[in-house]
Structure formats: structure tokens, C-alpha cells
Amino acid sequence: MTPGLPVIDMSALFGADEACRAAVAERIARAGEAHGFFYLIGHGIGLDVLQLLETESRRFFALPLAARMAIAMPQGGRTWRGYFPVGGELTSGQPDLKEGLYLGTELGPDHPRVRAGIPMHGANLWPAELPALEVAAIAYMDDATRAAAALMEGVSQSLGPEPGYFARAYTNEPTVLFRIFHYPATGADDPGWGVGERTDYGLLTLLAQDRFGGLQVKTPEAWIEAPPIKGALVCNIGDMLERLTGGRFRSTPHRVRNVSGNDRLSFPLFFDPDFAAPMRPLTPLAPDAATPARDRAARWDDSSVRAFEGTYGD
């Protein structure tokens, strides 16, 4: 299946050639404006890293439910880490047909934000039976975070501020969250959604998919498939980047339905603003940007990123 979304080689963002970086930044800007979704190659994450992550993740979801529940999310408390079972998450009030493991930047008990009890900051919960899962997940998170930071520099370059502006203003200490999702095999006539229509709240998401697919993206004309491309990541713009760009970049609704007949895995890494960073728009609202009222009416959650004030943590 040929993807309907652009494929961008981001390798130049890691190099020193200014003209090449500018050309890639322009492609990112066009994709962010037109689709809010695009594929990335040249991101620096090896196929061996992706394969090990998939192998160990399948081993985790093959564990008995009791072993998975031993690291259930309530044990993570305010850090928002750990396992949740199928139906344990809701989208627009409907249970998702998926289970997952929530992870993030590993912070020790002496970190100032951990001591202060800041939500979503702290230590991960790992299954004792699978030490290789921690190794695989940390390796992937490190590589994907590096790719996301380079991508944000490309975004910054396309918008015009001086180099490093986004890193200083919004991602000095980014909120990096990682999910390992398992969508059990269902029948083609199953009416349920792995994840219903939604957008992501932060800056951008980098998604690795296994070979089975199921991701759909909403366009003005119709929902389209975003099939997996071997070795490529899917990137989508989040609500806060839409806000910071005054509506120029689009946080596009998406959803998942697994009709492959196989157990599906996906690996989204959310590269989000520093919890303490004010979410003041970098640019004025785009001329065609919706008003807050129209924005709420069009969105899946009846909210408006344009009306929001405060820090990302708020």
C-alpha cells in the first residue's frame, strides 16, 4: 500500500550543511501545515534497535496477566508509569481495545521534581521476568529522543527564530513519555476501536509501528490509512505545537483499528514541552485559524488549544 502522507529524510538535520538543513526544515513545515502527519527516514534508529524492542515487547504481553499486573499503573502513582490492561484506557468515554506499558525519562528519588511530587516525573516500573525489555526500551527512547530534538530544531528553523530557541524556551527539560501498546487481534467486523479519534497534547509524537498497521489519519476529505514502512517512523504534530505556531502547524486527529487478524504493537514516543514552560504562541494566530468556539466544535474532545493559558504542566 502506498502511503498518502509525505516521506521526509531527516538525516541532514544531524549534519553541518546549513543549506541541507534548511531544505529539510522547509519540507517539515509544508507537511506540518498540510497534514500534521508525515513519515521520517534517516532518523538514526537502527533496525536492530527496533527489532529488539518488538521482540521483548511481545514477550512482555505474553506474560500471564498476573505478572503484568504486578507493575500496574496504580503502583506508579503520580509518575503515571506502569501497565494497564485491555479496556483500562478510555477515548471520548469509550474503552480502547488495547493494553500497554507506560514509560518515560528515568528520574531518581533525589531529582528536584521528584522530591517536589511533580506529576509524570519519576522512575519506571519494569517486569522482573524480562530484564532485556528495559535494555531495549531505554535504547529506543534514547535514540528516539535524540531524533525528536533534532526534528524540533528543524521545526524551529522553519519558523524563523534563532537556532536553539525552541530548546531554550520550551524543551530545556522536555517531558518525554513512551508507550508500548498491544492491540489484540480482533475480527474484521468488530465494531470497537483500538483507539478512537483523538489528537496528542504535546509538541510532536514519533511512532514506530510493527508490520500489521491499523493507524488512520483524518484529512479534510476522508480518513486515510498510514501503513507501516519498514524502518520509518510516523511523526504527528501535537496540540501544543499547533498552539505555539498560532495554528500554522496542525494537530491532526487520528485513530487505530486493528483488522489485520494479528496482534499489533505500536511504540509512540511523545516529545513534549518542559512541564514548567509557558505555552505562549510563538506567532500570532494564522489568518484562517478557528476561533476558540469553532475550534471546540470541530475537535474530538470539545476543547480548544487556542483558548488555553498557562504552563504545559497546567
Side-chain angles (χ1 to χ4, degrees), residues 283-308:
T283 58
L285 284 175
D288 63 342
T291 64
R294 287 173 54 202
D295 195 24
R296 282 192 293 270
R299 277 180 57 94
W300 63 282
D301 57 356
D302 193 34
S303 64
S304 173
V305 298
R306 306 181 204 282
F308 173 76

Side-chain angles (χ1 to χ4, degrees), residues 220-280:
E221 294 77 27
W223 287 92
I224 65 171
E225 301 288 334
I229 299 175
K230 186 174 182 178
L233 304 178
V234 177
C235 178
N236 66 276
I237 304 303
D239 293 347
M240 291 301 102
L241 190 50
E242 178 174 319
R243 173 166 179 74
L244 294 176
T245 61
R248 177 180 169 185
F249 283 23
R250 303 184 183 278
S251 179
T252 302
H254 49 285
R255 63 190 185 186
V256 174
R257 175 170 279 164
N258 179 20
V259 295
S260 68
N262 299 280
D263 290 346
R264 174 185 185 263
L265 293 178
S266 72
F267 308 95
L269 182 133
F270 303 92
F271 189 81
D272 293 346
D274 188 317
F275 231 59
M279 293 293 99
R280 291 185 292 267

